[in-house]
Amino acid sequence: CIVKRINKELCKKQQLKGKKVLVTAGPTIEPIDPFRYITNHSSGKMGYAIAEVAASLGANVTLISGPTNLKKPDSVEFVQTLTAVEMFDAIKEHVDSSDAIVMSAAVSDYAPKTYKTNKIKKKDDNITLELKKNPDILKSLDKINPRLVKVGFAAETNHTNQYAKEKLENKKLDLIVANDISNSNSGFKSDNNKITIINHQKTISYDIMSKVECAEIIMEHVIPLLSKTN
Amino acid sequence: CIVKRINKELCKKQQLKGKKVLVTAGPTIEPIDPFRYITNHSSGKMGYAIAEVAASLGANVTLISGPTNLKKPDSVEFVQTLTAVEMFDAIKEHVDSSDAIVMSAAVSDYAPKTYKTNKIKKKDDNITLELKKNPDILKSLDKINPRLVKVGFAAETNHTNQYAKEKLENKKLDLIVANDISNSNSGFKSDNNKITIINHQKTISYDIMSKVECAEIIMEHVIPLLSKTN
């Protein structure tokens, strides 16, 4: 059991035994041409830690991951994706039979409107790249599986908790994990994170800690939500 | 000596002893906001192999590298860069005292015109990203160091050799290495490459082989160019 911080009893009790937990992690890649793409600084570490902690607690975990440099965890079903659309398709395929989804992936909000099959040549001094909004997977989940426990993430540089609360309401999430990525000692590239957990009743801000410890705290909050679904 | 394919005598003779070789490798990252960036599929493997082969041949090697997942080679001076402009600055700093430059980095042709200090919110259905051409480092090298041997790369999806020849002429290179990235068995992600070496006299196409073997062939072509500079 990798769980260190929270009560070891949770681990021994295998409190998520019989539960199916879907975790998304890492960035997405949105191709511009065969050569270039838009992506983001997500390392996938937070999501991989959540997947491992959930598996340690007895859950049947499926990890849907964008491209990362991390070792695929042993104890989880692993689905590799590239673009936001690929990740959404993988979620749709697995969400029906899931009890909870923890969406820690940094899914690109926008993708190039058109994909150029040949490499764009360096010619004009200025070019314009047209981007279109990616589909909103969160909004469609309720229709597919109304009893699903939904945990979102909000990575922001400013007004972090305010934006996170709005997302919690708008997307009808059960829980949202906010983290301020403007702090260089935590967040994307780091092994540490500084999280705030927000649900419809309260906001709890934690000090900076390892991503594995953050994952334990997050799952500690997911366990009671999951027991409700029984 | 990692050199395997070419005459081991070259290695023993340390034919590049006393020569300073600058090698660029990997992709560049062009930030859109603190979160998102434009990049490309370069793994850096080709450039790292060239740096190692050049060092094995006795050269004093400086490797200027964009972000990669590769182990920093032991026997070279290593400079880490992110954006095209950072890479250009690092080249300018080192090129004065160099005898040759091998530019295998996949430098972004364009960068976002403005960097947004706060994360762009998901709002409009369509957004446009204005891109501006990055400075052309190759064109400025002649002024800084006229005796520099210049080796370029051309990674293309179509008309590869034609574009490569044009680049050889336009940028006043001594040699260009063309590779067709439309072939999934070679190129960016792969450990193999299928290269064509073009100089002002001839075009030599090689079969697919490992990137270390490609690096040996490339340096085999660079050695006579370097002896001329003495």
Side-chain angles (χ1 to χ4, degrees), chain A residues 1-210:
Chain A
C1 183
I2 69 158
V3 174
K4 285 194 185 75
R5 193 190 160 281
I6 59 175
N7 194 334
K8 290 257 178 201
E9 292 306 308
L10 280 182
C11 210
K12 278 188 207 142
K13 280 183 191 158
Q14 294 278 291
Q15 293 225 343
L16 292 178
K17 204 171 164 67
K19 299 292 181 188
K20 195 174 161 197
V21 177
L22 205 54
V23 181
T24 70
T28 61
I29 275 184
E30 303 298 339
I32 300 169
D33 67 19
F35 195 80
R36 292 114 164 173
Y37 58 91
I38 296 176
T39 188
N40 61 63
H41 288 293
S42 172
S43 66
K45 285 175 188 167
M46 191 65 247
Y48 279 56
I50 291 168
E52 286 192 84
V53 168
S56 293
L57 295 172
N60 178 359
V61 178
T62 299
L63 174 61
I64 299 172
S65 174
T68 75
N69 306 322
L70 304 176
K71 201 182 148 286
K72 180 171 104 52
D74 289 331
S75 43
V76 308
E77 189 195 347
F78 187 82
V79 182
Q80 178 73 65
T81 58
L82 278 181
T83 64
V85 169
E86 274 182 40
M87 186 171 273
F88 291 170
D89 287 344
I91 293 172
K92 279 184 209 157
E93 209 172 284
H94 289 86
V95 83
D96 213 13
S97 56
S98 293
D99 299 292
I101 183 166
V102 183
M103 286 168 292
S104 65
V107 176
S108 185
D109 292 333
Y110 292 93
K113 209 174 238 175
T114 52
Y115 170 76
K116 308 285 184 195
T117 49
N118 287 327
K119 187 183 161 193
I120 300 165
K121 298 301 294 172
K122 184 178 188 170
K123 215 174 66 182
D124 299 326
D125 279 348
N126 298 291
I127 59 173
T128 306
L129 196 59
E130 303 280 344
L131 306 176
K132 63 169 194 293
K133 210 192 261 187
N134 270 324
D136 194 336
I137 189 69
L138 274 171
K139 285 207 171 161
S140 64
L141 291 183
D142 254 347
K143 284 177 208 148
I144 308 175
N145 182 350
R147 62 174 194 84
L148 186 72
V149 170
K150 296 187 292 293
V151 180
F153 273 73
E156 301 291 347
T157 49
N158 52 330
H159 310 301
T160 306
N161 288 3
Q162 181 200 323
Y163 285 143
K165 272 179 204 163
E166 285 169 18
K167 192 172 175 182
L168 178 79
E169 301 297 337
N170 294 341
K171 312 276 182 179
K172 299 194 176 70
L173 301 177
D174 298 284
L175 197 79
I176 193 157
V177 183
N179 56 319
D180 185 336
I181 53 170
S182 65
N183 185 337
S184 63
N185 293 324
S186 60
F188 284 123
K189 304 243 156 166
S190 171
D191 286 330
N192 298 320
N193 212 352
K194 189 176 177 336
I195 58 169
T196 298
I197 292 195
I198 305 171
N199 65 20
H200 297 281
Q201 289 80 43
K202 58 186 184 295
T203 296
I204 315 169
S205 290
Y206 292 89
D207 286 337
I208 192 167
M209 62 184 99
S210 79

